[in-house]
Amino acid sequence: MSFTITCPICGKRDVYEFHFGGQERGPRPAQEELSAKAHFEYTQVRTTRNAAQQEWWYHASGCGVWFRTWRNPATNREERPPEAPGNTGHD
């Protein structure tokens, strides 16, 4: 199955140009006093919903930018436009 992802630089492209970076999970927990269970849950546990979720995508066959967009995994459709590359949280 194919669908499109909208790159904030290049525009709408086929999903095969991108690499999936995973769900947006918020900031990484502080390492001080982080239990093994909390670390495992942050790094390994994913929740896929039948509703829109914010995700990371990398435009590997294009401009090489990481960005976040909202996609519904049940329909593979983008729900909201991607965020600008300067607002990725990886600065």
Coordinates of all heavy atoms in Angstrom, one line a residue:
M1 N 0.8 -1.2 0.0 CA 0.0 0.0 0.0 C 0.9 1.2 0.0 O 1.9 1.3 0.7 CB -0.9 0.0 1.2 CG -1.7 1.3 1.3 SD -2.6 1.6 2.9 CE -3.2 0.0 3.3
S2 N 0.5 2.2 -0.8 CA 1.3 3.4 -0.9 C 0.4 4.6 -0.5 O -0.8 4.6 -0.6 CB 1.8 3.6 -2.3 OG 2.6 4.8 -2.4
F3 N 1.1 5.6 0.1 CA 0.4 6.8 0.4 C 1.4 8.0 0.3 O 2.6 7.7 0.0 CB -0.3 6.7 1.8 CG 0.7 6.4 3.0 CD1 1.2 7.4 3.7 CD2 1.0 5.1 3.3 CE1 2.1 7.1 4.8 CE2 1.8 4.8 4.3 CZ 2.4 5.8 5.1
T4 N 1.0 9.2 0.6 CA 1.9 10.3 0.5 C 2.1 10.9 1.8 O 1.3 10.9 2.7 CB 1.3 11.4 -0.5 OG1 0.1 11.8 0.0 CG2 1.2 10.8 -1.9
I5 N 3.3 11.6 1.9 CA 3.7 12.3 3.1 C 4.1 13.7 2.5 O 4.7 13.8 1.5 CB 4.9 11.7 3.8 CG1 4.5 10.3 4.4 CG2 5.4 12.6 4.9 CD1 3.6 10.4 5.6
T6 N 3.7 14.8 3.3 CA 4.1 16.1 2.8 C 5.3 16.6 3.6 O 5.3 16.8 4.8 CB 2.9 17.1 3.1 OG1 1.7 16.6 2.6 CG2 3.2 18.5 2.6
C7 N 6.4 16.7 2.8 CA 7.7 17.2 3.3 C 7.5 18.8 3.4 O 7.0 19.4 2.5 CB 8.8 16.9 2.4 SG 10.4 17.7 2.8
P8 N 7.9 19.4 4.5 CA 7.8 20.8 4.6 C 8.6 21.6 3.7 O 8.4 22.8 3.4 CB 8.1 21.1 6.1 CG 8.9 20.0 6.5 CD 8.5 18.8 5.7
I9 N 9.6 21.0 3.1 CA 10.5 21.6 2.1 C 10.1 21.3 0.7 O 10.0 22.2 -0.2 CB 12.0 21.2 2.3 CG1 12.4 21.4 3.8 CG2 12.9 21.8 1.3 CD1 13.2 22.5 4.1
C10 N 9.9 20.0 0.4 CA 9.7 19.5 -1.0 C 8.2 19.3 -1.4 O 7.9 19.1 -2.5 CB 10.4 18.2 -1.2 SG 12.2 18.2 -0.8
G11 N 7.3 19.4 -0.4 CA 5.9 19.2 -0.7 C 5.5 17.7 -0.6 O 6.2 16.9 -0.1
K12 N 4.4 17.4 -1.2 CA 3.8 16.1 -1.1 C 4.6 15.1 -2.0 O 4.9 15.4 -3.2 CB 2.3 16.1 -1.6 CG 1.6 14.9 -1.2 CD 0.1 15.1 -1.5 CE -0.5 16.0 -0.4 NZ -1.6 15.5 0.3
R13 N 5.0 14.0 -1.4 CA 5.8 13.0 -2.0 C 5.3 11.6 -1.6 O 4.7 11.4 -0.6 CB 7.3 13.1 -1.6 CG 7.9 14.4 -1.9 CD 8.3 14.4 -3.4 NE 9.2 15.5 -3.7 CZ 8.9 16.6 -4.3 NH1 7.7 16.8 -4.7 NH2 9.8 17.5 -4.6
D14 N 5.7 10.6 -2.4 CA 5.4 9.2 -2.2 C 6.1 8.7 -0.9 O 7.2 9.1 -0.6 CB 5.8 8.3 -3.3 CG 5.2 6.9 -3.2 OD1 5.8 6.1 -2.5 OD2 4.2 6.7 -3.8
V15 N 5.4 7.9 -0.1 CA 6.0 7.5 1.2 C 7.3 6.8 1.0 O 8.1 6.7 2.0 CB 5.0 6.6 2.0 CG1 4.8 5.3 1.3 CG2 5.4 6.5 3.4
Y16 N 7.6 6.2 -0.1 CA 8.8 5.4 -0.3 C 10.0 6.3 -0.3 O 11.2 5.8 -0.3 CB 8.7 4.6 -1.6 CG 7.7 3.5 -1.5 CD1 6.5 3.6 -2.3 CD2 7.8 2.5 -0.6 CE1 5.5 2.6 -2.2 CE2 6.8 1.5 -0.5 CZ 5.7 1.6 -1.3 OH 4.7 0.6 -1.2
E17 N 9.9 7.6 -0.4 CA 11.0 8.5 -0.3 C 11.4 8.8 1.2 O 12.4 9.4 1.4 CB 10.7 9.9 -0.9 CG 10.5 9.8 -2.4 CD 10.4 11.2 -3.0 OE1 10.7 12.2 -2.3 OE2 10.0 11.3 -4.2
F18 N 10.6 8.3 2.1 CA 10.8 8.6 3.5 C 11.2 7.4 4.4 O 10.9 6.3 4.0 CB 9.5 9.2 4.1 CG 9.1 10.5 3.4 CD1 8.3 10.5 2.3 CD2 9.5 11.7 3.9 CE1 7.9 11.6 1.7 CE2 9.1 12.9 3.3 CZ 8.3 12.8 2.2
H19 N 11.8 7.7 5.6 CA 12.0 6.7 6.6 C 11.1 7.1 7.8 O 11.2 8.2 8.2 CB 13.4 6.5 7.0 CG 14.3 5.9 6.0 ND1 14.3 4.6 5.6 CD2 15.2 6.5 5.2 CE1 15.1 4.4 4.7 NE2 15.7 5.5 4.4
F20 N 10.4 6.1 8.3 CA 9.6 6.4 9.5 C 10.5 6.5 10.7 O 11.3 5.6 11.0 CB 8.6 5.2 9.7 CG 7.7 5.4 10.9 CD1 6.7 6.4 11.0 CD2 7.7 4.5 11.9 CE1 5.9 6.5 12.0 CE2 6.9 4.6 13.0 CZ 5.9 5.6 13.1
G21 N 10.3 7.5 11.5 CA 11.1 7.7 12.7 C 10.5 7.4 14.0 O 11.1 7.5 15.1
G22 N 9.2 7.0 13.9 CA 8.5 6.6 15.2 C 7.5 7.7 15.6 O 7.5 8.8 15.1
Q23 N 6.8 7.4 16.6 CA 5.8 8.3 17.2 C 6.6 9.4 18.0 O 7.6 9.1 18.6 CB 4.9 7.6 18.2 CG 4.0 6.6 17.5 CD 3.3 5.7 18.6 OE1 3.8 5.6 19.7 NE2 2.3 5.1 18.2
E24 N 6.0 10.6 18.1 CA 6.5 11.6 18.9 C 6.1 11.2 20.4 O 4.9 10.9 20.6 CB 5.8 13.0 18.6 CG 6.1 14.1 19.6 CD 7.5 14.4 19.8 OE1 8.2 14.6 18.8 OE2 8.0 14.3 20.9
R25 N 7.1 11.1 21.2 CA 6.9 10.7 22.6 C 7.2 11.7 23.6 O 7.2 11.4 24.8 CB 7.7 9.4 22.9 CG 7.2 8.3 22.0 CD 8.0 7.1 22.2 NE 9.4 7.3 21.6 CZ 10.5 6.7 21.9 NH1 10.4 5.8 22.8 NH2 11.6 7.0 21.3
G26 N 7.4 12.9 23.2 CA 7.8 14.0 24.1 C 9.3 14.0 24.5 O 10.0 13.2 23.9
P27 N 9.7 14.8 25.4 CA 11.1 14.9 25.8 C 11.6 13.6 26.4 O 10.8 12.9 27.1 CB 11.1 16.0 26.7 CG 9.8 16.2 27.3 CD 8.8 15.7 26.2
R28 N 12.8 13.3 26.2 CA 13.5 12.1 26.8 C 13.5 12.3 28.3 O 13.8 13.4 28.8 CB 14.9 12.0 26.3 CG 15.6 10.8 26.9 CD 17.0 10.7 26.3 NE 17.0 10.4 24.9 CZ 17.1 9.2 24.4 NH1 17.2 8.2 25.3 NH2 17.1 8.9 23.1
P29 N 13.2 11.3 29.1 CA 13.2 11.5 30.6 C 14.7 11.7 31.1 O 15.6 11.2 30.5 CB 12.7 10.2 31.1 CG 12.5 9.2 30.0 CD 12.7 10.0 28.7
A30 N 14.8 12.4 32.1 CA 16.1 12.7 32.7 C 16.7 11.4 33.2 O 16.1 10.5 33.7 CB 16.0 13.7 33.9
Q31 N 18.0 11.2 32.9 CA 18.7 10.0 33.2 C 19.0 9.8 34.7 O 19.0 8.7 35.2 CB 20.1 10.0 32.5 CG 19.9 9.9 31.0 CD 19.2 8.7 30.5 OE1 19.5 7.6 30.8 NE2 18.1 9.0 29.7
E32 N 19.0 10.9 35.4 CA 19.2 10.8 36.9 C 18.0 10.1 37.5 O 16.9 10.5 37.2 CB 19.5 12.1 37.5 CG 20.7 12.9 37.0 CD 20.3 13.6 35.7 OE1 19.2 14.0 35.5 OE2 21.2 13.7 34.9
E33 N 18.2 9.1 38.3 CA 17.2 8.4 39.0 C 16.1 7.8 38.1 O 15.0 7.5 38.5 CB 16.5 9.3 40.0 CG 17.4 9.9 41.0 CD 16.7 10.9 41.9 OE1 15.5 10.9 42.1 OE2 17.4 11.8 42.4
L34 N 16.5 7.5 36.8 CA 15.6 6.8 35.9 C 15.6 5.3 36.1 O 16.7 4.7 36.1 CB 16.0 7.1 34.5 CG 15.1 6.6 33.4 CD1 13.7 7.2 33.4 CD2 15.7 6.8 32.0
S35 N 14.5 4.7 36.5 CA 14.5 3.3 36.7 C 14.6 2.5 35.4 O 14.3 3.0 34.3 CB 13.2 2.9 37.4 OG 12.1 3.0 36.5
A36 N 15.0 1.2 35.5 CA 15.1 0.4 34.3 C 13.7 0.2 33.7 O 13.6 0.2 32.4 CB 15.7 -1.0 34.7
K37 N 12.7 0.1 34.4 CA 11.3 0.0 33.9 C 10.9 1.2 33.1 O 10.4 1.1 32.0 CB 10.3 -0.3 35.0 CG 8.9 -0.5 34.5 CD 7.9 -0.8 35.6 CE 6.6 -0.9 34.9 NZ 5.5 -0.9 35.8
A38 N 11.2 2.4 33.7 CA 10.8 3.6 33.0 C 11.6 3.8 31.7 O 11.1 4.3 30.7 CB 11.0 4.8 33.9
H39 N 12.9 3.4 31.8 CA 13.7 3.5 30.6 C 13.2 2.6 29.5 O 13.1 2.9 28.3 CB 15.2 3.2 30.9 CG 16.1 3.3 29.7 ND1 16.4 2.2 29.0 CD2 16.7 4.4 29.1 CE1 17.2 2.6 28.0 NE2 17.4 3.9 28.1
F40 N 12.9 1.3 29.9 CA 12.3 0.4 28.9 C 11.1 0.9 28.3 O 10.9 0.8 27.1 CB 12.1 -1.0 29.6 CG 11.4 -2.0 28.8 CD1 12.1 -2.7 27.8 CD2 10.0 -2.1 28.9 CE1 11.4 -3.6 27.0 CE2 9.3 -3.1 28.1 CZ 10.0 -3.8 27.1
E41 N 10.1 1.4 29.1 CA 8.9 1.9 28.6 C 9.1 3.0 27.6 O 8.4 3.1 26.6 CB 7.9 2.3 29.7 CG 7.4 1.1 30.5 CD 6.6 1.5 31.7 OE1 6.5 2.7 32.0 OE2 6.0 0.5 32.3
Y42 N 10.0 3.9 27.9 CA 10.2 5.1 27.0 C 10.8 4.6 25.7 O 10.4 5.1 24.6 CB 11.1 6.1 27.7 CG 11.4 7.3 26.7 CD1 10.4 8.3 26.6 CD2 12.5 7.4 26.0 CE1 10.6 9.4 25.7 CE2 12.7 8.4 25.1 CZ 11.8 9.4 25.0 OH 12.0 10.5 24.1
T43 N 11.8 3.7 25.7 CA 12.5 3.3 24.5 C 11.8 2.2 23.7 O 12.0 2.1 22.5 CB 13.9 2.8 24.8 OG1 13.9 1.7 25.7 CG2 14.7 3.9 25.4
Q44 N 11.0 1.4 24.4 CA 10.4 0.2 23.7 C 8.9 0.2 23.5 O 8.4 -0.4 22.5 CB 10.8 -1.1 24.4 CG 12.3 -1.2 24.6 CD 13.1 -1.3 23.2 OE1 12.6 -2.0 22.3 NE2 14.2 -0.6 23.1
V45 N 8.2 0.7 24.4 CA 6.7 0.6 24.3 C 6.1 1.7 23.4 O 6.4 2.8 23.5 CB 6.1 0.7 25.8 CG1 4.6 0.7 25.7 CG2 6.6 -0.4 26.7
R46 N 5.3 1.2 22.5 CA 4.6 2.1 21.5 C 3.1 1.8 21.6 O 2.7 0.6 21.8 CB 5.1 1.8 20.1 CG 6.6 1.9 19.8 CD 7.1 3.3 20.0 NE 8.5 3.4 19.6 CZ 9.5 3.3 20.5 NH1 9.2 3.0 21.7 NH2 10.7 3.4 20.1
T47 N 2.3 2.8 21.4 CA 0.9 2.6 21.4 C 0.4 3.1 20.0 O 0.5 4.3 19.7 CB 0.2 3.5 22.5 OG1 0.8 3.1 23.7 CG2 -1.3 3.3 22.5
T48 N -0.1 2.2 19.2 CA -0.7 2.6 17.9 C -2.2 2.7 18.1 O -2.9 1.7 18.5 CB -0.4 1.6 16.8 OG1 1.1 1.5 16.8 CG2 -0.9 2.0 15.5
R49 N -2.7 3.9 17.8 CA -4.2 4.1 18.0 C -4.8 4.2 16.6 O -4.1 4.3 15.6 CB -4.4 5.5 18.6 CG -3.7 5.6 20.0 CD -4.0 6.9 20.6 NE -3.7 8.0 19.7 CZ -2.7 8.9 19.9 NH1 -1.9 8.8 21.0 NH2 -2.4 9.8 19.1
N50 N -6.1 4.0 16.6 CA -6.9 4.2 15.3 C -7.3 5.6 15.2 O -8.5 5.9 15.0 CB -8.1 3.2 15.3 CG -7.6 1.8 15.0 OD1 -6.6 1.6 14.3 ND2 -8.4 0.9 15.4
A51 N -6.4 6.5 15.5 CA -6.7 8.0 15.5 C -5.4 8.7 15.1 O -4.3 8.0 15.1 CB -7.2 8.5 16.8
A52 N -5.5 9.9 14.8 CA -4.3 10.7 14.4 C -3.2 10.7 15.5 O -3.6 10.8 16.7 CB -4.6 12.1 14.0
Q53 N -2.0 10.5 15.1 CA -0.9 10.6 16.1 C 0.3 11.4 15.4 O 0.4 11.3 14.2 CB -0.4 9.2 16.5 CG 0.1 8.3 15.4 CD 0.4 6.9 15.9 OE1 -0.1 6.4 16.9 NE2 1.2 6.2 15.1
Q54 N 1.0 12.1 16.3 CA 2.2 12.8 15.7 C 3.3 11.9 15.6 O 3.6 11.1 16.4 CB 2.5 14.0 16.7 CG 3.5 14.9 16.0 CD 3.7 16.1 16.9 OE1 3.7 16.0 18.1 NE2 3.9 17.3 16.3
E55 N 4.0 12.0 14.4 CA 5.1 11.0 14.0 C 6.3 11.8 13.5 O 6.1 12.8 12.9 CB 4.6 10.0 13.0 CG 3.4 9.2 13.4 CD 2.9 8.3 12.3 OE1 3.0 8.7 11.1 OE2 2.3 7.3 12.6
W56 N 7.4 11.2 13.6 CA 8.7 11.7 13.0 C 8.9 11.0 11.7 O 8.7 9.8 11.5 CB 9.9 11.3 13.9 CG 10.0 12.3 15.1 CD1 9.6 12.0 16.3 CD2 10.6 13.6 15.1 NE1 9.9 13.1 17.1 CE2 10.5 14.0 16.4 CE3 11.1 14.4 14.1 CZ2 10.9 15.3 16.7 CZ3 11.6 15.6 14.5 CH2 11.5 16.1 15.8
W57 N 9.3 11.7 10.6 CA 9.6 11.2 9.3 C 10.9 11.9 8.8 O 11.2 13.0 9.1 CB 8.5 11.5 8.3 CG 7.3 10.7 8.6 CD1 6.2 10.9 9.5 CD2 7.0 9.4 8.0 NE1 5.3 9.9 9.4 CE2 5.8 9.0 8.5 CE3 7.6 8.6 7.1 CZ2 5.2 7.8 8.2 CZ3 7.0 7.4 6.7 CH2 5.8 7.0 7.3
Y58 N 11.7 11.1 8.1 CA 13.0 11.6 7.5 C 12.9 11.5 6.0 O 12.6 10.4 5.5 CB 14.1 10.7 8.1 CG 15.4 11.1 7.4 CD1 16.0 12.3 7.6 CD2 16.1 10.1 6.7 CE1 17.3 12.6 7.0 CE2 17.3 10.4 6.1 CZ 17.9 11.6 6.3 OH 19.1 11.9 5.7
H59 N 13.1 12.6 5.3 CA 13.0 12.6 3.9 C 14.4 12.1 3.3 O 15.2 12.9 2.8 CB 12.7 14.0 3.3 CG 12.2 13.9 1.9 ND1 11.7 15.1 1.3 CD2 12.0 12.9 1.0 CE1 11.4 14.7 0.1 NE2 11.5 13.4 -0.1
A60 N 14.5 10.8 3.3 CA 15.8 10.2 2.9 C 16.1 10.3 1.4 O 17.3 10.5 1.1 CB 15.8 8.7 3.3
S61 N 15.2 10.3 0.6 CA 15.4 10.4 -0.9 C 15.1 11.8 -1.4 O 14.9 11.9 -2.6 CB 14.5 9.3 -1.6 OG 14.9 8.0 -1.3
G62 N 15.2 12.7 -0.5 CA 14.9 14.1 -0.9 C 15.9 15.0 -0.2 O 17.1 14.9 -0.3
C63 N 15.3 16.0 0.5 CA 16.1 17.0 1.1 C 16.8 16.7 2.4 O 17.7 17.4 2.9 CB 15.2 18.2 1.4 SG 13.9 17.9 2.6
G64 N 16.5 15.5 3.0 CA 17.3 15.0 4.2 C 16.8 15.7 5.5 O 17.6 15.7 6.4
V65 N 15.6 16.2 5.5 CA 15.2 16.9 6.7 C 14.3 15.9 7.6 O 13.6 15.1 7.0 CB 14.4 18.2 6.4 CG1 13.0 17.9 5.7 CG2 14.1 19.0 7.6
W66 N 14.5 16.0 8.9 CA 13.6 15.4 9.8 C 12.4 16.3 10.1 O 12.7 17.5 10.3 CB 14.3 15.1 11.1 CG 15.1 13.8 11.1 CD1 16.5 13.8 10.9 CD2 14.7 12.5 11.3 NE1 16.9 12.4 11.0 CE2 15.8 11.6 11.2 CE3 13.4 11.9 11.6 CZ2 15.7 10.3 11.4 CZ3 13.4 10.5 11.7 CH2 14.5 9.7 11.6
F67 N 11.2 15.8 10.2 CA 10.1 16.6 10.6 C 9.0 15.8 11.2 O 9.0 14.6 11.2 CB 9.5 17.3 9.3 CG 9.0 16.4 8.3 CD1 7.7 16.1 8.2 CD2 9.9 15.9 7.3 CE1 7.2 15.2 7.2 CE2 9.4 15.0 6.4 CZ 8.1 14.7 6.3
R68 N 8.1 16.5 11.9 CA 6.9 15.8 12.5 C 5.7 16.1 11.7 O 5.5 17.3 11.3 CB 6.7 16.3 13.9 CG 7.9 15.8 14.8 CD 7.6 16.3 16.2 NE 7.8 17.8 16.3 CZ 7.9 18.5 17.4 NH1 7.9 17.9 18.5 NH2 8.1 19.8 17.3
T69 N 4.8 15.1 11.6 CA 3.5 15.3 11.0 C 2.5 14.5 11.7 O 2.8 13.6 12.4 CB 3.5 15.0 9.5 OG1 2.3 15.5 8.8 CG2 3.7 13.5 9.2
W70 N 1.2 14.8 11.5 CA 0.1 14.0 12.1 C -0.5 13.1 11.1 O -0.9 13.5 10.0 CB -1.0 15.0 12.6 CG -0.6 15.7 13.9 CD1 0.1 16.9 13.9 CD2 -0.8 15.3 15.2 NE1 0.3 17.2 15.2 CE2 -0.3 16.3 16.0 CE3 -1.5 14.2 15.8 CZ2 -0.4 16.2 17.4 CZ3 -1.6 14.1 17.1 CH2 -1.0 15.1 17.9
R71 N -0.5 11.8 11.4 CA -1.0 10.8 10.4 C -1.9 9.8 11.2 O -1.6 9.5 12.4 CB 0.2 10.0 9.8 CG -0.2 9.0 8.8 CD 1.0 8.2 8.3 NE 1.6 7.4 9.3 CZ 1.3 6.1 9.5 NH1 0.4 5.5 8.8 NH2 1.9 5.5 10.5
N72 N -2.9 9.4 10.5 CA -3.8 8.4 11.1 C -3.3 7.0 10.6 O -3.4 6.7 9.4 CB -5.3 8.6 10.7 CG -6.2 7.7 11.4 OD1 -5.9 6.5 11.7 ND2 -7.4 8.2 11.6
P73 N -2.8 6.1 11.5 CA -2.3 4.8 11.0 C -3.4 3.9 10.5 O -3.1 3.0 9.7 CB -1.7 4.2 12.2 CG -1.8 5.1 13.3 CD -2.6 6.3 12.9
A74 N -4.7 4.1 10.9 CA -5.8 3.3 10.4 C -6.1 3.6 8.9 O -6.5 2.7 8.1 CB -7.0 3.5 11.2
T75 N -5.8 4.9 8.5 CA -6.2 5.3 7.1 C -4.9 5.6 6.3 O -5.0 5.8 5.1 CB -7.1 6.5 7.1 OG1 -6.4 7.6 7.7 CG2 -8.4 6.2 7.8
N76 N -3.8 5.8 7.0 CA -2.5 6.3 6.3 C -2.7 7.6 5.7 O -2.0 8.0 4.7 CB -2.0 5.3 5.3 CG -1.2 4.2 6.0 OD1 -0.7 4.3 7.1 ND2 -1.2 3.0 5.4
R77 N -3.5 8.5 6.2 CA -3.7 9.8 5.7 C -3.2 10.8 6.7 O -3.4 10.7 7.9 CB -5.2 10.1 5.4 CG -5.7 9.3 4.3 CD -7.2 9.6 4.1 NE -7.7 8.7 3.1 CZ -8.3 9.1 2.0 NH1 -8.4 10.3 1.7 NH2 -8.7 8.2 1.2
E78 N -2.5 11.9 6.2 CA -2.1 13.0 7.0 C -3.3 13.7 7.5 O -4.2 14.0 6.7 CB -1.1 13.9 6.3 CG 0.3 13.4 6.1 CD 1.1 14.4 5.4 OE1 0.9 14.6 4.2 OE2 2.0 14.9 6.1
E79 N -3.3 14.1 8.8 CA -4.4 14.8 9.4 C -4.1 16.3 9.5 O -5.0 17.1 9.5 CB -4.7 14.2 10.8 CG -5.1 12.8 10.7 CD -6.5 12.5 10.2 OE1 -7.4 13.4 10.4 OE2 -6.7 11.4 9.6
R80 N -2.9 16.6 9.6 CA -2.4 18.0 9.7 C -1.2 18.2 8.9 O -0.4 17.3 8.8 CB -2.2 18.4 11.2 CG -3.3 18.3 12.1 CD -3.0 18.7 13.5 NE -3.9 18.1 14.4 CZ -3.7 18.0 15.7 NH1 -2.6 18.6 16.2 NH2 -4.5 17.5 16.5
P81 N -0.9 19.4 8.5 CA 0.4 19.6 7.7 C 1.6 19.5 8.7 O 1.5 19.6 9.9 CB 0.3 21.1 7.2 CG -0.8 21.7 8.1 CD -1.7 20.6 8.6
P82 N 2.7 19.2 8.1 CA 3.9 19.0 8.9 C 4.4 20.3 9.5 O 4.1 21.4 9.0 CB 5.0 18.4 7.9 CG 4.5 18.9 6.6 CD 3.0 19.0 6.7
E83 N 5.2 20.2 10.6 CA 5.8 21.3 11.2 C 7.0 21.8 10.4 O 7.7 21.0 9.8 CB 6.2 21.0 12.6 CG 5.0 20.7 13.5 CD 5.4 20.4 15.0 OE1 6.6 20.6 15.3 OE2 4.5 20.1 15.7
A84 N 7.3 23.0 10.5 CA 8.5 23.6 9.8 C 9.7 23.0 10.3 O 9.8 22.6 11.5 CB 8.5 25.1 10.0
P85 N 10.8 22.8 9.5 CA 12.0 22.1 9.9 C 12.7 22.8 11.1 O 13.3 22.1 11.9 CB 12.9 22.2 8.7 CG 12.0 22.4 7.5 CD 10.8 23.1 8.1
G86 N 12.5 24.1 11.3 CA 13.2 24.7 12.4 C 12.5 24.5 13.7 O 13.0 24.8 14.8
N87 N 11.4 23.7 13.7 CA 10.6 23.5 14.9 C 10.5 22.0 15.2 O 9.5 21.5 15.5 CB 9.2 24.1 14.7 CG 8.4 24.0 16.0 OD1 9.0 23.9 17.1 ND2 7.1 24.1 15.9
T88 N 11.6 21.3 15.0 CA 11.6 19.8 15.1 C 11.9 19.3 16.5 O 11.7 18.1 16.8 CB 12.7 19.2 14.2 OG1 13.9 19.6 14.5 CG2 12.3 19.6 12.7
G89 N 12.5 20.1 17.4 CA 12.8 19.6 18.7 C 14.2 19.0 18.7 O 14.6 18.5 19.8
H90 N 14.9 18.9 17.6 CA 16.3 18.3 17.6 C 17.3 19.4 17.4 O 18.4 19.1 16.9 CB 16.4 17.4 16.4 CG 15.7 16.1 16.6 ND1 16.1 15.2 17.6 CD2 14.6 15.5 16.1 CE1 15.4 14.1 17.6 NE2 14.4 14.3 16.7
D91 N 17.0 20.6 17.8 CA 18.0 21.7 17.7 C 19.1 21.6 18.7 O 19.0 21.1 19.8 CB 17.3 23.0 17.8 CG 16.3 23.3 16.8 OD1 16.4 22.7 15.7 OD2 15.3 23.9 17.1

